[in-house]
Amino acid sequence: MMSLYRKLDKPWIIGVIYLSNIILFSIVYWLLLSSSFKDIPDLNFIQALYFSIVTVTTLGFGDIIPNLNSNSLLVCIIIQVTLGVLNIGLFLNSISNKISLNKEKEINERLEAIRKIQVAKVLSILKPIVMSQLSTLADIYKSTSTDNSNKSLEISPKELMNDAYFDQVCLIDYFSMRTKYGSDRLFAQVLIEENDKFQSDLDNFLGKFAYSLDIELLSLINDIQNHRYFNYPKHAMIVYQHNQRFNNGLVIPRHLISMEHSKRISANMDMPLSMRDYHAKLLSLIDVINEYLAEGEIRMQIHLLKHISPPVGSAIARMNFWQGENQMEIDKLFPVYPFEDV
């Protein structure tokens, strides 16, 4: 019943029903009850239409008087008046609902516009934080690149982060001493410091502006902030410090993240894909920022220049990974390290 009411709760539909009421009863008065009126022996259609209109609108001018002895006529008049009153009530209610819905829609649109402005302001604060992380990823890309073109690139993160990108950066040598800060610090140590700052900045951002963001976006930022991808340089530092402490001739694995190379993935081995998952989430966040901010999409600056540190190709793990094709040889080339959390 409610479903039928919702379908009929439209002004034009109720108007059509009201008009049909007038025409239908005009025909009834004309064809079936034309002799049931005082002083009019044979009611014509125009007179019947006129009588139907003044009856359904309850005007009752009294110029056409029904014969009170005609029960059929009286029943028809009662039915028509009742239906007419109901139609008018429904029509007015429908108009009222329409006005209320339009007003509610207008208010919701205004609130949504205000919300988008607020979210845009908040994301404009988040943007430089994300840009700082992209700068760190750009350094990793440069340090693992073999491009000696001595040029600068400006590229969309989504365009850069393809399979070739992942295969390149997963060969990073975390123990390289040639960083943008000089030659006295490990690349892993530099990355840990920059990642910690990024995570701390995200934490401060959420502490101040979480109330302005929806649950999905909060969940995305939280996933990025606490992602396992940040454990790679920490794992590398554990191995390095262990070897330095005990000085036991342990061969330091310089390629912890290489387990995510596409050749290892294609070998159908069970492995984490932290790097790819992290980049996918970061790209999703960048898409949200680009959607809300009108000053242009986020782009990465990669300077493959010799006079700017870190040097191009300065952190590539120098070892032959792809000797052999069977499972055992791949296991030897890509040892699985038992690190989950630091």
Side-chain angles (χ1 to χ4, degrees):
M1 197 70 182
M2 288 299 296
S3 176
L4 178 60
Y5 173 74
R6 291 191 189 97
K7 291 180 180 179
L8 296 178
D9 189 25
K10 296 178 181 178
W12 71 270
I13 293 180
I14 297 175
V16 169
I17 294 174
Y18 194 73
L19 182 60
S20 300
N21 181 323
I22 294 174
I23 295 174
L24 177 63
F25 278 91
S26 297
I27 295 173
V28 171
Y29 296 140
W30 174 43
L31 295 179
L32 302 179
L33 301 169
S34 61
S35 61
S36 299
F37 294 86
K38 291 181 179 181
D39 303 327
I40 302 177
D42 190 14
L43 194 74
N44 61 40
F45 178 74
I46 299 301
Q47 292 171 326
L49 179 62
Y50 170 76
F51 180 77
S52 180
I53 292 173
V54 298
T55 300
V56 79
T57 57
T58 67
L59 294 175
F61 293 119
D63 46 356
I64 299 179
I65 304 173
N67 187 346
L68 299 181
N69 295 324
S70 175
N71 292 333
S72 299
L73 178 59
L74 293 178
V75 170
C76 284
I77 292 174
I78 292 171
I79 292 174
Q80 184 180 21
V81 170
T82 303
L83 292 176
V85 171
L86 289 175
N87 272 0
I88 291 174
L90 290 174
F91 181 77
L92 294 176
N93 183 67
S94 177
I95 292 293
S96 176
N97 288 341
K98 191 72 173 178
I99 294 173
S100 298
L101 288 175
N102 288 340
K103 195 170 184 178
E104 183 179 353
K105 181 180 179 182
E106 183 180 349
I107 292 173
N108 289 337
E109 288 176 350
R110 288 180 181 177
L111 291 175
E112 179 64 15
I114 293 172
R115 187 193 71 83
K116 286 185 176 181
I117 292 173
Q118 291 176 338
V119 172
K121 289 180 179 179
V122 170
L123 292 181
S124 68
I125 299 172
L126 178 62
K127 182 177 179 179
I129 299 175
V130 173
M131 291 293 292
S132 70
Q133 177 63 8
L134 291 179
S135 178
T136 299
L137 296 178
D139 286 342
I140 294 175
Y141 180 84
K142 180 181 181 181
S143 300
T144 56
S145 175
T146 56
D147 186 347
N148 294 318
S149 59
N150 196 34
K151 63 182 180 182
S152 293
L153 302 176
E154 181 177 306
I155 188 170
S156 163
K158 185 174 292 187
E159 183 180 349
L160 175 69
M161 295 174 186
N162 52 30
D163 286 339
Y165 165 88
F166 293 123
D167 284 350
Q168 174 183 311
V169 299
C170 79
L171 300 183
I172 182 174
D173 181 0
Y174 283 117
F175 306 105
S176 171
M177 301 290 287
R178 303 170 67 190
T179 71
K180 62 183 178 182
Y181 298 108
S183 57
D184 59 340
R185 297 165 71 187
L186 288 178
F187 203 166
Q189 183 181 0
V190 171
L191 292 179
I192 290 172
E193 292 173 0
E194 293 185 349
N195 290 339
D196 285 348
K197 183 179 184 305
F198 175 59
Q199 291 173 297
S200 176
D201 289 343
L202 287 181
D203 188 60
N204 291 333
F205 171 82
L206 290 175
K208 294 178 180 178
F209 304 109
Y211 67 91
S212 300
L213 306 175
D214 58 43
I215 297 299
E216 290 184 1
L217 185 53
L218 286 175
S219 177
L220 177 61
I221 297 174
N222 184 69
D223 287 346
I224 292 173
Q225 180 189 8
N226 300 294
H227 206 279
R228 289 179 56 189
Y229 170 74
F230 296 123
N231 288 334
Y232 276 122
K234 294 179 181 180
H235 296 164
M237 282 301 298
I238 289 177
V239 174
Y240 181 83
Q241 291 169 356
H242 182 275
N243 190 69
Q244 292 293 102
R245 179 180 179 183
F246 294 101
N247 194 24
N248 56 5
L250 175 68
V251 178
I252 301 176
R254 312 178 77 86
H255 55 288
L256 296 174
I257 202 172
S258 65
M259 63 180 68
E260 297 200 32
H261 195 284
S262 61
K263 289 195 175 182
R264 179 169 183 130
I265 296 173
S266 64
N268 297 319
M269 300 180 66
D270 185 18
M271 74 200 73
L273 294 177
S274 300
M275 175 177 63
R276 295 169 187 266
D277 182 70
Y278 172 76
H279 282 74
K281 284 181 167 58
L282 188 62
L283 288 176
S284 296
L285 180 58
I286 290 172
D287 285 341
V288 174
I289 295 174
N290 287 338
E291 177 185 350
Y292 278 91
L293 301 184
E295 63 264 24
E297 68 172 14
I298 292 177
R299 298 182 69 81
M300 292 179 68
Q301 301 284 339
I302 302 175
H303 302 292
L304 301 173
L305 304 174
K306 297 178 181 178
H307 62 281
I308 298 179
S309 294
V312 175
S314 59
I316 301 176
R318 307 295 180 183
M319 47 176 47
N320 186 359
F321 290 100
W322 318 129
Q323 296 175 354
E325 297 180 359
N326 61 48
Q327 184 78 29
M328 184 178 297
E329 289 171 330
I330 291 177
D331 283 340
K332 292 178 181 178
L333 295 171
F334 299 98
V336 178
Y337 300 98
F339 300 119
E340 291 297 329
D341 296 296
V342 176

Short mmCIF file of all heavy atoms in Angstrom, two decimals, residues 134-160:
data_model
loop_
_atom_site.label_atom_id
_atom_site.label_comp_id
_atom_site.label_asym_id
_atom_site.label_seq_id
_atom_site.Cartn_x
_atom_site.Cartn_y
_atom_site.Cartn_z
N LEU A 134 56.90 11.10 -1.51
CA LEU A 134 57.22 10.89 -2.93
C LEU A 134 58.66 11.31 -3.22
O LEU A 134 59.32 10.71 -4.08
CB LEU A 134 56.26 11.69 -3.80
CG LEU A 134 54.81 11.20 -3.83
CD1 LEU A 134 53.96 12.11 -4.72
CD2 LEU A 134 54.73 9.76 -4.33
N SER A 135 59.16 12.30 -2.51
CA SER A 135 60.56 12.71 -2.67
C SER A 135 61.50 11.59 -2.22
O SER A 135 62.52 11.31 -2.86
CB SER A 135 60.82 13.98 -1.86
OG SER A 135 62.18 14.37 -1.95
N THR A 136 61.12 10.91 -1.12
CA THR A 136 61.91 9.76 -0.66
C THR A 136 61.89 8.64 -1.69
O THR A 136 62.93 8.04 -2.00
CB THR A 136 61.36 9.25 0.68
OG1 THR A 136 61.44 10.28 1.67
CG2 THR A 136 62.13 8.03 1.17
N LEU A 137 60.71 8.36 -2.25
CA LEU A 137 60.60 7.32 -3.28
C LEU A 137 61.37 7.72 -4.54
O LEU A 137 61.93 6.84 -5.22
CB LEU A 137 59.13 7.08 -3.61
CG LEU A 137 58.26 6.53 -2.47
CD1 LEU A 137 56.81 6.38 -2.92
CD2 LEU A 137 58.80 5.19 -1.97
N ALA A 138 61.42 9.01 -4.83
CA ALA A 138 62.19 9.48 -5.99
C ALA A 138 63.68 9.22 -5.77
O ALA A 138 64.40 8.86 -6.72
CB ALA A 138 61.93 10.95 -6.23
N ASP A 139 64.16 9.41 -4.54
CA ASP A 139 65.57 9.12 -4.23
C ASP A 139 65.87 7.63 -4.39
O ASP A 139 66.94 7.26 -4.88
CB ASP A 139 65.90 9.56 -2.80
CG ASP A 139 66.01 11.07 -2.67
OD1 ASP A 139 66.17 11.75 -3.71
OD2 ASP A 139 65.94 11.58 -1.53
N ILE A 140 64.93 6.79 -3.97
CA ILE A 140 65.12 5.35 -4.14
C ILE A 140 65.18 5.00 -5.63
O ILE A 140 66.02 4.22 -6.07
CB ILE A 140 63.98 4.57 -3.45
CG1 ILE A 140 64.05 4.77 -1.93
CG2 ILE A 140 64.04 3.08 -3.79
CD1 ILE A 140 62.89 4.14 -1.18
N TYR A 141 64.27 5.61 -6.39
CA TYR A 141 64.26 5.35 -7.83
C TYR A 141 65.57 5.77 -8.47
O TYR A 141 66.15 5.04 -9.28
CB TYR A 141 63.09 6.11 -8.47
CG TYR A 141 62.98 5.90 -9.96
CD1 TYR A 141 62.32 4.80 -10.49
CD2 TYR A 141 63.54 6.82 -10.85
CE1 TYR A 141 62.22 4.60 -11.86
CE2 TYR A 141 63.45 6.64 -12.22
CZ TYR A 141 62.79 5.53 -12.72
OH TYR A 141 62.69 5.34 -14.08
N LYS A 142 66.04 6.95 -8.10
CA LYS A 142 67.30 7.44 -8.68
C LYS A 142 68.47 6.54 -8.28
O LYS A 142 69.34 6.23 -9.11
CB LYS A 142 67.56 8.87 -8.22
CG LYS A 142 68.86 9.48 -8.76
CD LYS A 142 69.08 10.89 -8.25
CE LYS A 142 70.38 11.46 -8.82
NZ LYS A 142 70.66 12.83 -8.33
N SER A 143 68.50 6.13 -7.03
CA SER A 143 69.62 5.33 -6.53
C SER A 143 69.66 3.94 -7.13
O SER A 143 70.70 3.28 -7.10
CB SER A 143 69.54 5.22 -5.00
OG SER A 143 69.59 6.50 -4.41
N THR A 144 68.54 3.48 -7.66
CA THR A 144 68.50 2.14 -8.28
C THR A 144 68.39 2.22 -9.80
O THR A 144 68.21 1.20 -10.46
CB THR A 144 67.29 1.34 -7.73
OG1 THR A 144 66.10 2.09 -7.96
CG2 THR A 144 67.45 1.08 -6.24
N SER A 145 68.50 3.43 -10.34
CA SER A 145 68.36 3.61 -11.79
C SER A 145 69.70 3.40 -12.50
O SER A 145 70.77 3.64 -11.94
CB SER A 145 67.83 5.01 -12.09
OG SER A 145 67.79 5.25 -13.48
N THR A 146 69.61 2.96 -13.74
CA THR A 146 70.82 2.83 -14.59
C THR A 146 70.75 3.85 -15.74
O THR A 146 71.49 3.74 -16.71
CB THR A 146 70.92 1.42 -15.16
OG1 THR A 146 69.71 1.11 -15.89
CG2 THR A 146 71.12 0.39 -14.06
N ASP A 147 69.88 4.83 -15.60
CA ASP A 147 69.70 5.86 -16.62
C ASP A 147 70.77 6.94 -16.44
O ASP A 147 70.77 7.67 -15.46
CB ASP A 147 68.30 6.48 -16.49
CG ASP A 147 67.99 7.45 -17.62
OD1 ASP A 147 68.90 7.84 -18.36
OD2 ASP A 147 66.80 7.82 -17.75
N ASN A 148 71.68 7.04 -17.39
CA ASN A 148 72.76 8.02 -17.33
C ASN A 148 72.50 9.23 -18.23
O ASN A 148 73.43 9.89 -18.70
CB ASN A 148 74.08 7.36 -17.75
CG ASN A 148 74.52 6.30 -16.75
OD1 ASN A 148 74.43 6.50 -15.55
ND2 ASN A 148 74.98 5.15 -17.27
N SER A 149 71.22 9.52 -18.47
CA SER A 149 70.88 10.62 -19.38
C SER A 149 71.13 11.99 -18.78
O SER A 149 71.11 13.00 -19.48
CB SER A 149 69.41 10.50 -19.79
OG SER A 149 68.58 10.55 -18.63
N ASN A 150 71.38 12.05 -17.47
CA ASN A 150 71.67 13.31 -16.78
C ASN A 150 70.55 14.33 -17.02
O ASN A 150 70.79 15.46 -17.47
CB ASN A 150 73.02 13.87 -17.23
CG ASN A 150 73.54 14.94 -16.28
OD1 ASN A 150 73.33 14.87 -15.07
ND2 ASN A 150 74.21 15.95 -16.83
N LYS A 151 69.31 13.94 -16.70
CA LYS A 151 68.16 14.81 -16.94
C LYS A 151 67.22 14.75 -15.74
O LYS A 151 67.35 13.90 -14.86
CB LYS A 151 67.42 14.38 -18.20
CG LYS A 151 66.82 12.98 -18.10
CD LYS A 151 66.13 12.57 -19.40
CE LYS A 151 65.54 11.16 -19.27
NZ LYS A 151 64.90 10.72 -20.54
N SER A 152 66.26 15.67 -15.74
CA SER A 152 65.23 15.69 -14.70
C SER A 152 63.90 15.25 -15.30
O SER A 152 63.60 15.55 -16.47
CB SER A 152 65.08 17.10 -14.11
OG SER A 152 66.24 17.47 -13.40
N LEU A 153 63.13 14.53 -14.50
CA LEU A 153 61.83 14.04 -14.94
C LEU A 153 60.74 14.63 -14.06
O LEU A 153 60.92 14.80 -12.86
CB LEU A 153 61.76 12.51 -14.85
CG LEU A 153 62.77 11.68 -15.63
CD1 LEU A 153 62.58 10.21 -15.31
CD2 LEU A 153 62.63 11.93 -17.12
N GLU A 154 59.63 14.96 -14.67
CA GLU A 154 58.42 15.30 -13.93
C GLU A 154 57.33 14.36 -14.43
O GLU A 154 56.96 14.39 -15.59
CB GLU A 154 58.01 16.75 -14.15
CG GLU A 154 56.76 17.13 -13.35
CD GLU A 154 56.39 18.58 -13.51
OE1 GLU A 154 57.26 19.45 -13.26
OE2 GLU A 154 55.23 18.85 -13.88
N ILE A 155 56.83 13.50 -13.54
CA ILE A 155 55.96 12.43 -13.99
C ILE A 155 54.88 12.16 -12.96
O ILE A 155 55.07 12.37 -11.75
CB ILE A 155 56.81 11.15 -14.25
CG1 ILE A 155 55.97 10.06 -14.91
CG2 ILE A 155 57.45 10.65 -12.96
CD1 ILE A 155 56.80 8.89 -15.40
N SER A 156 53.73 11.70 -13.42
CA SER A 156 52.65 11.30 -12.52
C SER A 156 53.06 10.03 -11.77
O SER A 156 53.61 9.11 -12.38
CB SER A 156 51.38 11.05 -13.32
OG SER A 156 50.44 10.32 -12.57
N PRO A 157 52.84 9.96 -10.46
CA PRO A 157 53.19 8.74 -9.72
C PRO A 157 52.56 7.49 -10.31
O PRO A 157 53.20 6.43 -10.37
CB PRO A 157 52.66 9.03 -8.31
CG PRO A 157 52.66 10.51 -8.20
CD PRO A 157 52.32 11.02 -9.57
N LYS A 158 51.31 7.59 -10.75
CA LYS A 158 50.63 6.43 -11.32
C LYS A 158 51.30 5.97 -12.61
O LYS A 158 51.37 4.77 -12.90
CB LYS A 158 49.16 6.76 -11.59
CG LYS A 158 48.33 5.59 -12.06
CD LYS A 158 46.85 5.95 -12.16
CE LYS A 158 46.26 6.19 -10.79
NZ LYS A 158 44.79 6.39 -10.85
N GLU A 159 51.80 6.92 -13.37
CA GLU A 159 52.48 6.57 -14.61
C GLU A 159 53.85 5.94 -14.34
O GLU A 159 54.29 5.04 -15.07
CB GLU A 159 52.66 7.83 -15.46
CG GLU A 159 53.30 7.61 -16.82
CD GLU A 159 53.45 8.88 -17.62
OE1 GLU A 159 52.88 9.93 -17.21
OE2 GLU A 159 54.15 8.86 -18.66
N LEU A 160 54.51 6.38 -13.28
CA LEU A 160 55.84 5.87 -12.96
C LEU A 160 55.78 4.48 -12.33
O LEU A 160 56.58 3.60 -12.67
CB LEU A 160 56.54 6.82 -12.00
CG LEU A 160 57.92 6.37 -11.48
CD1 LEU A 160 58.95 6.38 -12.59
CD2 LEU A 160 58.37 7.25 -10.31
#
